[in-house]
Amino acid sequence: MQKKIEFSPPYFLEEDFEEVVKVLKSGWITTGPRVKEFETLLSHYTGAKATLCVSSATAAMQILLTVLGVGPGDEVITTVYTYTATASVIHHVGAKIVFADTSPGSFNISPEEIKQRLTPKTKAVIAVDYAGIPCDYDEILEVLNRPSFQYDFKKGSVQDLLGRPVLLSDASHSLGAQYKGIKMGAVADVTAFSFHAVKNLTTAEGGAIQIKENPRLSIEELISQCRLYSLHGQDKDAWMKEKGSYRYDIKLLGYKFNMTDIQAALGICQLKRYPAILEKRKALFAQYAGHLKHKKPFILPSYDPAVKTGSYHLFPLRLTGFNEVRRDALIEFMKSKDITINVHFIPLPMFTAYKQLGFDIQDFSNAYAMFENVVTLPVHLQLDLQDVDRICEELINGVK
Ligand SMILES: *Cc1c(COP(=O)(O)O)cnc(C)c1O
């Protein structure tokens, strides 16, 4: 029988299981020394100034917006071409979601669209590195750094100190990706990573906040604010309480978004072999490209390798002349061949909840044009090059 090809199964090694069991046997299973170690390794890996591990990328973004003082009366600009988490967190902190379209022919947010949507109330922009390809960060910063533009910032706020809205990267797809030679985490002002089950590095559920070095900001203070919000505003975590006095203070009304040592153990193991993980994913990408490039109707993902290096998270393949109906038929055909392919993402204005907020997909024609003829192909560590050969062969049959 031929192998069933799944879209994104997790992949662990014996050493991962051993590390998890070690934590379970250690008597300390929630936030403790392994989380600290994972944070240190993550800072070291990306070059960010500070890292806080949390329970998800969603939690990371919600904490960041809160610490950045974003709330009612404020606006945050983000892309329609993302998962709902990127936008829902804006709503949850009480601010207004302002959607921007993607650049023509791109899955990433358009700097020009951001420019058109800036108002004095704009406090942050959330850019999403779709499929692990970094956004046009310099162009976005150029748009935000407008000396002639009158922003309405609270004195002493992070935005005031920067002289512009904060640039937050939703790097859920782009751990290890680089923009102009710098890894994500040290590119945007602040970054959120996801370690959800389907991402390049997974702790089942999990995420991280990273803050980039910036002489205008106290990074120490920002990350300790984030840490407070991640665990009920408690000035000592359970580990510190265990090691010291029972007394602690609640500094503010925070969330419950901390990571456990069990998750961190999984993260540490994968981060140590992450360069090899990226190499493997890159080889799968190259195999896809070898089969599909210069063949009709395929349009391969592309970016300027002098500026960006992706993390090979998803392989988005566009099909010239296809619409939703034909694309969906191709997905069914592949399923009949025991191959799962997917679509990332359904633009947010196509969902009920966003329609109810007044958004209309017709206002985002670039994003719709990207969505209607895209399929995402499996890229994961259980695949070998022969699997990619088979997937490509069936795709070529399928599009006929
Ligand atoms: C997966 C994903 C998220 C959410 O990550 P969680 O860790 O599940 O909160 C957010 N944004 C994008 C672009 C994602 O793909």
Side-chain angles (χ1 to χ4, degrees), residues 291-311:
H291 285 297
L292 302 175
K293 77 173 169 218
H294 309 312
K295 277 206 183 75
K296 281 183 184 168
F298 305 120
I299 309 171
L300 272 58
S302 76
Y303 52 85
D304 181 356
V307 180
K308 301 173 184 184
T309 310
S311 65

Side-chain angles (χ1 to χ4, degrees), residues 54-61 79 81-87 89 126-131 170-173 192-199 204-208 313-314 344-345:
V54 290
S55 54
S56 66
T58 311
M61 292 189 283
T79 173
Y81 214 95
T82 186
Y83 182 60
T84 185
T86 318
V89 291
I126 309 181
V128 178
D129 298 334
Y130 175 84
D170 176 349
S172 293
H173 296 184
F193 292 104
S194 173
F195 308 130
H196 175 265
V198 301
K199 313 295 183 187
E205 298 283 356
H313 177 56
L314 297 169
H344 291 80
F345 288 105

Side-chain angles (χ1 to χ4, degrees), residues 73-333:
D74 296 333
E75 297 178 359
V76 178
I77 302 173
T78 192
T79 173
V80 290
Y81 214 95
T82 186
Y83 182 60
T84 185
T86 318
S88 64
V89 291
I90 301 169
H91 186 78
H92 292 323
V93 299
K96 182 176 168 196
I97 301 167
V98 177
F99 277 135
D101 204 350
T102 57
S103 297
S106 163
F107 292 100
N108 284 348
I109 194 166
S110 153
E112 183 54 35
E113 282 266 323
I114 294 173
K115 187 174 179 180
Q116 286 168 21
R117 284 161 174 75
L118 280 180
T119 79
K121 296 176 179 174
T122 309
K123 295 295 188 294
V125 168
I126 309 181
V128 178
D129 298 334
Y130 175 84
I133 299 170
C135 292
D136 296 321
Y137 286 99
D138 281 355
E139 288 79 359
I140 295 173
L141 280 178
E142 204 178 302
V143 159
L144 299 181
N145 274 320
R146 283 202 290 169
S148 59
F149 194 84
Q150 279 300 311
Y151 291 112
D152 180 17
F153 295 143
K154 212 172 99 200
K155 224 176 148 19
S157 66
V158 171
Q159 292 84 350
D160 184 41
L161 296 172
L162 293 175
R164 57 166 170 77
V166 178
L167 180 52
L168 193 171
S169 170
D170 176 349
S172 293
H173 296 184
S174 56
L175 179 68
Q178 295 179 39
Y179 182 76
K180 298 193 173 169
I182 299 168
K183 286 205 184 78
M184 295 313 302
V187 175
D189 301 316
V190 294
T191 301
F193 292 104
S194 173
F195 308 130
H196 175 265
V198 301
K199 313 295 183 187
N200 279 14
L201 181 152
T202 181
T203 59
E205 298 283 356
I209 288 170
Q210 289 203 318
I211 308 182
K212 173 191 170 174
E213 169 67 326
N214 190 322
R216 295 185 185 205
L217 305 175
S218 167
I219 308 302
E220 280 297 294
E221 194 181 316
L222 280 172
I223 205 77
S224 57
Q225 279 294 107
C226 291
R227 198 177 294 280
L228 277 178
Y229 272 104
S230 74
L231 190 60
H232 287 308
Q234 221 170 270
D235 66 348
K236 289 180 185 173
D237 61 25
W239 176 257
M240 287 159 69
K241 272 164 63 186
E242 167 97 357
K243 302 292 152 196
S245 151
Y246 78 92
R247 287 191 183 279
Y248 61 93
D249 193 17
I250 300 293
K251 297 285 191 191
L252 48 83
L253 301 187
Y255 304 118
K256 182 63 165 64
F257 286 164
N258 54 313
M259 178 183 271
T260 68
D261 270 19
I262 305 172
Q263 292 166 301
L266 281 176
I268 290 165
C269 288
Q270 287 164 80
L271 191 58
K272 285 181 176 164
R273 56 175 194 267
Y274 197 64
I277 291 176
L278 285 183
E279 276 306 310
K280 169 81 198 262
R281 300 183 80 97
K282 184 178 177 180
L284 296 169
F285 256 65
Q287 192 78 355
Y288 275 124
H291 285 297
L292 302 175
K293 77 173 169 218
H294 309 312
K295 277 206 183 75
K296 281 183 184 168
F298 305 120
I299 309 171
L300 272 58
S302 76
Y303 52 85
D304 181 356
V307 180
K308 301 173 184 184
T309 310
S311 65
Y312 315 99
H313 177 56
L314 297 169
F315 193 103
L317 179 69
R318 294 178 60 220
L319 306 154
T320 311
F322 274 55
N323 58 16
E324 286 185 63
V325 175
R326 279 187 75 195
R327 182 266 311 279
D328 292 357
L330 177 63
I331 293 173
E332 283 309 307
F333 173 84

